[in-house]
Amino acid sequence: MDPAGGCPHADNARLLAAGTAVTPVVLPGGVAGMAVLGHDALREFLAHPDVAKGAEHFTALREGEIPDGWPLKTFATVQGMTTADDADHRRLRSLVSKAFTARRVEELRPRIETVTQQLLDALAEAAARTDGVADGAGAGDGVADGDGVADGAGVADLRAHFALPLPMGVICELLGVEAEHHDRLHRLSNQIVATDIGPEEAMAANREMVAVLSAVAAGRMENPGEDLTSALIAAREEDGDRLSPQELLGTLMLMIIAGHETTLNLITNAVRALCGHRDQLELVLAGKASWADAVEETLRWDSPVSYFPFRYPTRDLELAGAVIPKGTPVLAGYSAAGRDTAAHGPDAARFDVTRAARGAGARHLSLGHGPHYCLGAPLARMEATIALERLFTRFPELDLAVPESELPRHASFVGNSVHRLPVRLGSAS
């Protein structure tokens, strides 16, 4: 695996075309692993009774072969839902799930709509501040020099001004995290999911994240409110073995990272896809497909998570003609499964917002499958749907300010998106 990340689709297509649904991979530091790429194989693997998430099943880690500072170690060792199995997983998930019922998520709709409107105003203001800024003259607002900002272009970084603060603001509001921590938590989240990070930097990011979340938890202990952190603390205090301090911090870390990074990438990738396929955007604007259709097709076509760590077979496991040895760290290849022609048809590489409505191909797996299916899926879908509808309704001419090929990719093979998204808003409707 390339620690620098990059676009995964060409390599995925090459492997899938060769019939490789399961492949050996070399993880950073020369650690041997495997990845499941095919849709059917991944669906089976994610729900397999002989596949676990607990780090005690990671042979190399258990035998002391994984050093501190390994860039993927947090994925294996953080204590929370993503590394729990069976009864422990059900216990932790039940504590959090009350905040993500269909009713509770729907109650968030007015707040999400209000925040979206405020962010669109801020995006327009950011673009206005670059209006008349010459190429290379320092456009600011997240648009780096050399991004080709022309006089009167009105360019702004949609990722920084819109796609990031929406989900970050919503998840932090749910958790009771003060606004003063938002930027810091996003920076730390980026470092924790990076796969090209050095050992010292990785360990420092984890220590700082724990320190920030410990301060958040301490604040909620002193002044509990109507937020999820307060509810988790109350549950722990009612029954001391329900949620340990480490599990509380691990759960908060999971909620912060997964609660905004995935939706941030989803919104960013959807805007890129619709700008790059204007015919599909026109179908949605004309009411021939829904914004929810655009969200689902983006999830399939350009999954916000590319290869997610880790699961471990608890015995030697045969899958799609390959054997995954017991205790091997396995990546779930969501970006590959989404374009698997065996599941989605010969045009799987084509972005088509009418696909789901036509019943074409299998349902995507980009939000997971089985016991660890993404708890925040309804919230992510709602945020992305509202964001896209309001964005393109207000700015129907919105387009990328630089060619897709020039957009800098995330330095990670876990997250799948670009680092910046400079756009021209065009005329508002």
Side-chain angles (χ1 to χ4, degrees):
M1 306 299 297
D2 183 357
C7 183
H9 297 302
D11 285 341
N12 289 342
R14 175 177 54 81
L15 288 165
L16 289 171
T20 307
V22 179
T23 184
V25 297
V26 180
L27 299 168
V31 176
M34 297 192 80
V36 181
L37 309 177
H39 176 277
D40 291 347
L42 182 58
R43 192 174 192 277
E44 179 182 351
F45 182 75
L46 293 175
H48 202 289
D50 295 321
V51 172
K53 294 277 280 180
E56 67 272 18
H57 300 285
F58 186 173
T59 300
L61 180 66
R62 189 177 65 245
E63 296 180 353
E65 298 172 9
I66 304 298
D68 289 338
W70 189 54
L72 298 171
K73 192 169 185 178
T74 297
F75 287 99
T77 59
V78 65
Q79 293 191 41
M81 287 183 294
T82 59
T83 55
D85 294 304
D86 304 324
D88 269 347
H89 176 248
R90 290 189 292 272
R91 172 176 61 88
L92 292 168
R93 192 174 175 101
S94 69
L95 287 170
V96 179
S97 61
K98 298 180 184 65
F100 293 95
T101 63
R103 180 181 63 82
R104 291 293 297 273
V105 169
E106 187 58 34
E107 288 173 354
L108 293 171
R109 181 180 292 275
R111 178 59 180 157
I112 293 171
E113 290 174 341
T114 298
V115 172
T116 300
Q117 182 61 47
Q118 293 170 346
L119 292 173
L120 288 174
D121 292 342
L123 181 67
E125 291 171 4
R129 288 197 296 273
T130 70
D131 202 21
V133 177
D135 287 348
D141 295 314
V143 181
D145 292 347
D147 275 335
V149 182
D151 288 348
V155 173
D157 183 355
L158 185 137
R159 186 175 175 89
H161 289 284
F162 184 69
L164 166 61
L166 175 59
M168 191 65 168
V170 171
I171 195 63
C172 285
E173 192 169 316
L174 271 175
L175 292 172
V177 177
E178 294 84 355
E180 67 197 62
H181 297 304
H182 292 192
D183 289 345
R184 190 178 180 193
L185 287 172
H186 174 62
R187 174 178 58 80
L188 293 170
S189 297
N190 265 338
Q191 291 177 310
I192 288 171
V193 303
T195 50
D196 69 341
I197 193 171
E200 292 183 4
E201 192 179 4
M203 293 170 68
N206 275 277
R207 285 195 298 268
E208 188 176 350
M209 176 69 89
V210 169
V212 174
L213 295 180
S214 295
V216 169
R220 297 278 68 80
M221 287 178 188
E222 292 180 10
N223 298 293
E226 299 297 320
D227 55 79
L228 182 54
T229 303
S230 298
L232 292 173
I233 292 169
R236 188 185 76 194
E237 291 176 346
E238 289 165 10
D239 185 353
D241 65 354
R242 292 266 294 167
L243 193 69
S244 71
Q246 294 77 20
E247 287 173 335
L248 173 62
L249 293 179
T251 298
L252 293 179
M253 186 182 297
L254 163 68
M255 299 283 288
I256 290 289
I257 296 176
H260 90 278
E261 287 279 352
T262 303
T263 309
L264 162 60
N265 288 350
L266 172 56
I267 294 171
T268 301
N269 292 356
V271 172
R272 290 167 50 225
L274 290 167
C275 287
H277 301 81
R278 306 299 295 194
D279 59 326
Q280 300 300 302
L281 176 58
E282 290 303 321
L283 287 176
V284 183
L285 290 172
K288 297 179 180 178
S290 69
W291 293 107
D293 291 333
V295 169
E296 294 306 310
E297 180 65 349
T298 301
L299 284 166
R300 180 200 70 82
W301 186 74
D302 204 13
S303 171
V305 175
S306 193
Y307 308 97
F308 192 79
F310 287 119
R311 284 172 168 82
Y312 321 95
T314 57
R315 62 172 176 83
D316 290 353
L317 184 68
E318 184 172 349
L319 185 69
V323 174
I324 307 177
K326 176 183 177 180
T328 300
V330 182
L331 301 173
Y334 295 116
S335 61
R339 296 196 186 189
D340 184 357
T341 57
H344 302 289
D347 67 342
R350 184 166 68 91
F351 182 76
D352 178 3
V353 295
T354 70
R355 187 183 302 272
R358 292 187 289 107
R363 185 171 178 82
H364 68 77
L365 301 170
S366 293
L367 294 171
H369 176 67
H372 288 271
Y373 180 80
C374 178
L375 191 63
L379 179 58
R381 284 185 163 112
M382 176 186 286
E383 288 175 330
T385 302
I386 292 172
L388 294 177
E389 179 180 12
R390 298 300 176 91
L391 176 68
F392 283 105
T393 298
R394 179 163 172 179
F395 302 111
E397 298 174 6
L398 182 144
D399 206 352
L400 303 185
V402 299
E404 168 76 24
S405 60
E406 295 180 14
L407 295 173
R409 301 286 308 191
H410 261 317
S412 173
F413 57 73
V414 178
N416 175 43
S417 193
V418 295
H419 186 60
R420 293 194 309 276
L421 192 64
V423 297
R424 292 185 179 87
L425 301 183
S427 301
S429 64

